[in-house]
Amino acid sequence: MPTLYQIILIALFSAFVELFMSVSGFRYWLRDRCDSMDFTLLVKMLECDFCLGFWLSVIISIIMVLITLDPSYFCVPVFATPITRFLV
């Protein structure tokens, strides 16, 4: 079971990345790019804050597992996603 600081760390970092992508316009550029290539699933995922927060948490958790070699980070995205959605 992951500890509380792992969940909060991943949630805060993924909320930061999601907000940064929105403010910089990269999120909308990527959405338009996927729309032009007819990747409708990715377009829907980029429009949904909950979905994007979950997948960002998954990516960040995988990076943290590779850095720390602690497999408890694999459970973190499930618990961090609602916090990320609340913060965004």
Side-chain angles (χ1 to χ4, degrees), residues 32-61:
D32 294 339
R33 190 82 157 154
C34 290
D35 195 23
S36 68
M37 288 190 250
D38 206 27
F39 294 134
T40 57
L41 185 63
L42 286 176
V43 171
K44 290 179 183 177
M45 190 259 320
L46 287 167
E47 290 176 355
C48 175
D49 289 335
F50 189 78
C51 301
L52 185 59
F54 174 75
W55 288 111
L56 283 173
S57 296
V58 168
I59 292 169
I60 294 168
S61 295

Side-chain angles (χ1 to χ4, degrees), residues 1-10 70 72-73 75-76 79:
M1 185 74 173
T3 58
L4 190 59
Y5 81 89
Q6 289 174 329
I7 295 168
I8 292 172
L9 177 75
I10 298 295
D70 184 9
S72 67
Y73 277 101
C75 300
V76 171
F79 302 116

Side-chain angles (χ1 to χ4, degrees), residues 18-29:
E18 189 171 344
L19 288 172
F20 183 76
M21 285 175 64
S22 295
V23 169
S24 68
F26 180 71
R27 179 179 179 179
Y28 307 113
W29 175 83

